């Protein structure tokens, strides 16, 4: 398989992190090729089905091809991760409830019970309380943490949750729970799927690249990898807390998991990346919640403030620390991550590793 002329292979995980299809054989064979010096592991976000993911990978690889030129002694290959991510529901409460049923099918009866309460939500406070309580009981616990107010969410009475969410409370709650389930799934696949696969890949330098919730997936994988095992980590408009490298993923920085630079693109034009964190602020009743893809790595002493440069610009990378690349000039939306400026930053980091 070729991707814009680069050797490539796909690897697929199910929702539990188990390998499916060829169970990673093609990626292992690619990594075993002595001609491959650098393996770039691409991971798509939560808006993607497999077709859209492949289009994203092709576009990004094409941009890398356009800017990389020839570097003696280095040969890139791409491992393309496919995982069951889901797009936030569009439409009304019915569509949002259907998405949640799909994300946690084992809780279908509980979600159906919540759906039965929808006609009474505007008239009865007891219905609002029961609606929230049912949905919260359906969520898969274990991924809650204070970085997105999910810990607080699961300790609040249902009525309080609905009151804090205000107008369109039911839609906000369903959107947040869809985000939460995808957060949990991305973390699970990163820790129990991708990280163990990476441990079997001896030979090339490993470069993890994640877009959107794929950014959480690869960072969770990095957090489970041994110190010094990864060459670079690139987060393209990632959906996790801007406190992540100071909290849940502190080990990635503190223990030197990544020997080269960590790249974090962030853009004020990316509204979608911050939706769940705006809801988190309502849940907590305070501001202070934000996505790393909107604000960069915050409260992380090692983080370096920088900008995404035009092609040909010179980066001054520091090993093992996050570089907050302000991308407002080039990233104008959540999926605008395949441009040559991003490819130039990625290639520059790879070449420096």
């Amino acid at each position: 398989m070729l991707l814009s002329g680069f050797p490539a292979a796909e690897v697929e995980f199910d929702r539990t992190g188990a390998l499916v299809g060829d169970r990673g054989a093609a990626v292992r064979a690619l990594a075993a090729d002595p001609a491959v010096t650098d393996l770039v592991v691409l991971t798509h976000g939560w808006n993607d089905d497999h077709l859209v993911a492949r289009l994203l990978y092709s576009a990004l690889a094409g941009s890398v091809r356009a800017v990389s030129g020839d570097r003696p002694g280095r040969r890139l290959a791409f491992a393309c991760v496919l995982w069951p991510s889901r797009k936030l529901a569009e439409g009304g409460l019915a569509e949002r409830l259907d998405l949640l049923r799909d994300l946690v099918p084992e809780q279908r009866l509980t979600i159906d019970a919540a759906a039965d309460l929808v006609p009474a939500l505007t008239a009865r406070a007891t219905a609002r309380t029961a609606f929230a309580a049912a949905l919260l009981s359906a969520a898969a616990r274990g991924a809650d943490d204070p970085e997105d107010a999910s810990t607080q969410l699961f300790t609040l009475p249902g009525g309080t949750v609905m009151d804090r969410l205000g107008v369109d409370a039911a839609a906000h709650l369903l959107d947040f729970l869809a985000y939460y389930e995808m957060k949990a799934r991305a973390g699970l696949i990163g820790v129990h799927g991708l990280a163990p696969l990476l441990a079997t890949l001896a030979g090339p330098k490993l470069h993890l690249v994640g877009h959107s919730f794929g950014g959480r997936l690869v960072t969770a994988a990095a957090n489970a990898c041994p110190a010094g095992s990864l060459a670079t980590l690139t987060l393209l408009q990632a959906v996790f807390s801007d406190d992540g490298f100071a909290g849940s993923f502190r080990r990635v920085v503190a223990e030197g998991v990544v020997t080269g630079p960590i790249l974090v693109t962030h853009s004020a034009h990316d509204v979608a990346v911050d939706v769940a964190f705006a809801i988190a602020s309502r849940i907590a009743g305070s501001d202070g919640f934000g996505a790393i893809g909107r604000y960069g790595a915050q409260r992380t002493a090692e983080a370096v403030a920088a900008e995404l440069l035009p092609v040909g610009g010179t980066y001054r990378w520091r090993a093992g620390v996050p570089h907050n690349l302000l991308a407002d000039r080039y990233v104008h939306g959540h999926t605008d991550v395949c441009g040559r400026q991003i490819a130039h930053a990625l290639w520059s980091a790879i070449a420096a590793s």
Side-chain angles (χ1 to χ4, degrees):
M1 172 181 170
L2 292 176
L3 199 63
S4 296
F6 294 107
E10 292 182 347
V11 59
E12 185 173 354
F13 299 96
D14 69 13
R15 65 192 287 251
T16 70
L19 286 161
V20 297
D22 73 354
R23 305 184 68 82
V27 167
R28 291 190 187 95
L30 187 62
D33 182 347
V36 173
T37 61
D38 297 86
L39 184 64
V40 182
V41 181
L42 302 177
T43 308
H44 62 85
W46 74 341
N47 279 351
D48 302 319
D49 59 24
H50 289 179
L51 174 61
V52 176
R54 290 179 176 117
L55 291 173
L56 181 143
Y57 295 157
S58 179
L60 184 56
S63 291
V64 172
R65 170 62 71 191
V67 303
S68 59
D70 182 37
R71 189 173 183 87
R74 305 296 286 268
R75 187 183 186 216
L76 266 61
F78 287 91
C80 302
V81 173
L82 300 172
W83 64 287
S85 61
R86 291 299 307 271
K87 185 178 181 180
L88 271 181
E90 297 176 350
L93 294 184
E95 289 77 13
R96 286 172 165 84
L97 286 160
D98 282 343
L99 173 60
L100 200 59
R101 290 185 185 98
D102 184 63
L103 289 172
V104 280
E106 63 276 11
Q107 295 292 337
R108 178 174 290 271
L109 291 178
T110 302
I111 297 167
D112 286 347
D116 290 341
L117 295 167
V118 168
L121 290 179
T122 56
R124 291 170 43 206
T126 54
R128 289 163 58 83
T129 298
F131 177 83
L135 292 178
L136 292 174
S137 73
R141 297 298 300 274
D144 43 310
D145 62 55
E147 294 168 14
D148 59 7
S150 52
T151 298
Q152 191 169 354
L153 174 67
F154 291 113
T155 64
L156 291 172
T160 302
V161 170
M162 297 295 277
D163 288 344
R164 290 190 179 183
L165 291 177
V167 177
D168 295 326
H172 289 321
L173 179 58
L174 286 163
D175 284 346
F176 190 85
L177 290 175
Y179 148 83
Y180 177 83
E181 293 298 334
M182 289 308 307
K183 165 192 172 181
R185 182 177 296 185
L188 183 70
I189 294 171
V191 172
H192 297 291
L194 183 57
L197 175 64
L198 296 175
T200 70
L201 306 180
K205 294 183 177 183
L206 299 177
H207 308 273
L208 304 190
V209 181
H211 169 239
S212 185
F213 249 107
R216 182 176 187 89
L217 194 159
V218 296
T219 307
N223 206 48
C225 286
S229 59
L230 303 177
T232 66
L233 173 64
T234 298
L235 306 178
L236 304 177
Q237 301 308 116
V239 180
F240 64 84
S241 170
D242 55 13
D243 285 341
F245 285 122
S248 297
F249 302 129
R250 180 63 191 159
R251 180 179 170 273
V252 174
V253 177
E255 297 188 18
V257 173
V258 182
T259 59
I262 299 170
L263 282 59
V264 180
T265 70
H266 63 103
S267 172
H269 303 304
D270 187 349
V271 177
V273 75
D274 213 33
V275 167
F277 295 91
I279 298 173
S281 293
R282 294 189 180 205
I283 292 167
S286 64
D287 293 330
F289 297 91
I292 196 169
R294 185 70 181 269
Y295 303 106
Q298 299 296 308
R299 288 161 286 279
T300 305
E302 301 88 347
V304 176
E307 287 191 48
L308 189 66
L309 299 178
V311 174
T314 301
Y315 288 98
R316 300 184 183 279
W317 303 119
R318 291 175 53 193
V321 303
H323 295 72
N324 290 330
L325 301 180
L326 178 62
D328 289 2
R329 283 196 293 170
Y330 303 112
V331 174
H332 300 105
H334 188 53
T335 59
D336 190 10
V337 295
C338 297
R340 292 188 178 186
Q341 297 83 8
I342 283 180
H344 170 63
L346 173 60
W347 171 241
S348 172
I350 291 171
S353 67

